[in-house]
Amino acid sequence: GAGVSQSPSNKVTEKGKDVELRCDPISGHTALYWYRQSLGQGLEFLIYFQGNSAPDKSGLPSDRFSAERTGGSVSTLTIQRTQQEDSAVYLCASSWGGTVNQPQHFGDGTRLSIL
Amino acid sequence: SQKIEQNSEALNIQEGKTATLTCNYTNYSPAYLQWYRQDPGRGPVFLLLIRENEKEKRKERLKVTFDTTLKQSLFHITASQPADSATYLCALDELANTDKLIFGTGTRLQVFP
């Protein structure tokens, strides 16, 4: 069956530009997570959506980062005025429900490079 | 502060041997612990979940233990194969029964034929 889909797979942009990263979760999954993974580092939590509840934005590193989830399905992560330190792989995951006793299903990420 | 430690050095073993990876944590009281596999250029793939009241869990050639006294989980791959070569990540719930997982940095396993 279809897994989590992320687009684009690669994005190269100039410093100062805005970027939008898209995530299509597995159909029926109510929970959606965004993570950032820098080279040789673990996954850094960014934001979490669960059903119709207010998102948990506690991991967003600055106000240049925002995310939305429309219709409880597709999510977009937006980074405004990109900086070089934003270069990383951005991973999206979805799961049944939002509890940590459920496995998370990951996409293959968007590799973002800021020149 | 809360911390998860996985051996940052790669683990190199010969095909057919048992690989053992370690995940240590401090200042946590997790209710669940998960293990994931990540191949280069791919997202992590879920392998096993173990609960705090479970000492051991098995799935085919995989075995996970969870010692809440030692604050440690061990991940074993028996009869290892070159195809098992990947980075293995452990993940804990941030606070018991919250909705967020905190991931370790992972250990790279290399299995040589």
Side-chain angles (χ1 to χ4, degrees), chain A residues 9-98:
Chain A
S9 54
N10 286 284
K11 177 72 176 178
V12 180
T13 193
E14 293 179 348
K15 175 182 172 181
K17 300 287 188 183
D18 298 352
V19 294
E20 284 189 353
L21 311 180
R22 177 186 168 103
C23 174
D24 278 283
I26 292 173
S27 178
H29 279 190
T30 59
L32 187 147
Y33 302 80
W34 282 98
Y35 297 91
R36 178 168 70 176
Q37 187 173 35
S38 301
L39 189 63
Q41 301 298 310
L43 276 67
E44 175 189 3
F45 167 80
L46 296 178
I47 189 169
Y48 158 59
F49 297 89
Q50 168 53 16
N52 295 320
S53 303
D56 179 346
K57 305 179 182 180
S58 61
L60 295 179
S62 78
D63 59 8
R64 295 187 295 105
F65 288 72
S66 63
E68 63 178 21
R69 188 178 184 191
T70 54
S73 181
V74 172
S75 177
T76 302
L77 177 69
T78 301
I79 309 174
Q80 296 178 310
R81 305 181 302 282
T82 52
Q83 303 294 315
Q84 288 187 330
E85 62 263 27
D86 299 334
S87 296
V89 176
Y90 290 81
L91 290 161
C92 173
S94 68
S95 69
W96 291 107

Side-chain angles (χ1 to χ4, degrees), chain A residues 33 35 37 40-43 45 48 50 56 58-59 91 98-109 111, chain B residues 32 34 36 38 41-46 49 51 89 92-95 97-106:
Chain A
Y33 302 80
Y35 297 91
Q37 187 173 35
Q41 301 298 310
L43 276 67
F45 167 80
Y48 158 59
Q50 168 53 16
D56 179 346
S58 61
L91 290 161
T99 56
V100 290
N101 63 354
Q102 297 293 324
Q104 294 189 9
H105 300 262
F106 284 82
D108 286 333
R111 183 175 300 277
Chain B
Y32 302 94
Q34 301 188 20
Y36 289 77
Q38 187 173 24
R42 307 298 300 274
V45 174
F46 171 78
L49 177 150
R51 295 171 172 77
L89 307 169
L92 312 173
D93 51 304
E94 185 181 44
L95 295 169
N97 293 314
T98 61
D99 298 339
K100 291 193 298 195
L101 287 177
I102 304 298
F103 283 81
T105 54

Side-chain angles (χ1 to χ4, degrees), chain B:
Chain B
S1 64
Q2 298 169 322
K3 193 175 179 182
I4 300 175
E5 288 186 344
Q6 293 186 258
N7 195 337
S8 59
E9 292 183 8
L11 176 64
N12 299 311
I13 66 166
Q14 191 173 24
E15 182 177 11
K17 302 292 186 183
T18 296
T20 299
L21 307 177
T22 304
C23 176
N24 294 302
Y25 59 93
T26 56
N27 297 327
Y28 280 104
S29 294
Y32 302 94
L33 189 147
Q34 301 188 20
W35 282 90
Y36 289 77
R37 168 185 173 140
Q38 187 173 24
D39 291 283
R42 307 298 300 274
V45 174
F46 171 78
L47 295 174
L48 281 168
L49 177 150
I50 188 166
R51 295 171 172 77
E52 61 177 337
N53 61 353
E54 296 177 313
K55 296 297 182 187
E56 179 180 299
K57 190 157 229 186
R58 293 174 184 262
K59 178 183 175 182
E60 298 173 351
R61 294 184 296 110
L62 309 181
K63 184 179 84 171
V64 172
T65 63
F66 192 8
D67 189 325
T68 55
T69 301
L70 292 178
K71 294 187 180 292
Q72 180 180 79
S73 175
L74 298 178
F75 177 81
H76 306 272
I77 306 175
T78 58
S80 59
Q81 305 166 0
D84 296 327
S85 299
T87 296
Y88 292 86
L89 307 169
C90 70
L92 312 173
D93 51 304
E94 185 181 44
L95 295 169
N97 293 314
T98 61
D99 298 339
K100 291 193 298 195
L101 287 177
I102 304 298
F103 283 81
T105 54
T107 297
R108 194 164 76 87
L109 172 66
Q110 187 76 37
V111 181
F112 292 97

